[in-house]
Amino acid sequence: MSQLIAGTCYISIDGQRLLLKGSATATASKVTREPVMANGGVQGHKEVPVAPTLSGQFVVDKNFPIEKLQEATDMTVVAEFANGKVFTLGGAFVTEEIQVGGDDSDTTINFAGMTGKWS
C-alpha cells in the first residue's frame, strides 16, 4: 500500500490560513557544519547555527494580511505538510520586501523566527 508523502500543504499565520500557490520550504537543520582543514587534511568541523525559516509562494486575495506581514515581529507561522509533518515557527517576522505580481496576484514570502519546531 502506498502512503502520502507529498502534496497539499497548509500555512497559517496566527491562525489565519493563507492561500499557498507554490511549494513551501522549512528549515530542517539547526546547524551547518564545515570541515576544518589543517596539515593537508580534515581535522574536524565547526558548527554555525541556522536561523529557523519558512518560505512559500502565496496568492494575494482580498483577505491577504499585507499590513500584518509588514508590521508584525512576533507571529506564529504553522506549515502542515501532506506527509503529516508540522513545522511551527515562533517569534516570526518577514525577512524581505513584499512584492505582489499583478499578472498572477501572487507573492513569495520568506519568514525567519526565534524558534522552529517540527512535530
Side-chain angles (χ1 to χ4, degrees):
M1 176 165 40
S2 179
Q3 74 179 36
L4 180 64
I5 58 172
T8 304
C9 176
Y10 298 100
I11 294 183
S12 60
I13 300 171
D14 292 339
Q16 179 183 353
R17 186 169 284 177
L18 301 183
L19 299 175
L20 182 64
K21 179 179 181 178
S23 64
T25 305
T27 303
S29 300
K30 294 184 179 185
V31 298
T32 59
R33 294 183 182 91
E34 299 175 28
V36 174
M37 302 292 291
N39 295 335
V42 176
Q43 302 302 314
H45 69 275
K46 69 178 182 177
E47 291 184 347
V48 178
V50 174
T53 61
L54 178 66
S55 64
Q57 183 182 17
F58 302 95
V59 172
V60 180
D61 66 350
K62 67 179 182 175
N63 297 317
F64 192 80
I66 291 177
E67 293 81 14
K68 179 177 192 152
L69 294 172
Q70 291 172 334
E71 303 295 328
T73 57
D74 190 21
M75 295 180 283
T76 300
V77 183
V78 178
E80 303 171 53
F81 291 90
N83 62 5
K85 292 289 190 184
V86 176
F87 182 74
T88 303
L89 189 62
F93 51 91
V94 174
T95 60
E96 298 174 17
E97 69 274 5
I98 299 170
Q99 298 182 359
V100 179
D103 56 342
D104 290 329
S105 191
D106 64 359
T107 185
T108 297
I109 303 289
N110 297 303
F111 299 94
M114 302 301 289
T115 61
K117 180 181 178 187
W118 285 94
S119 55

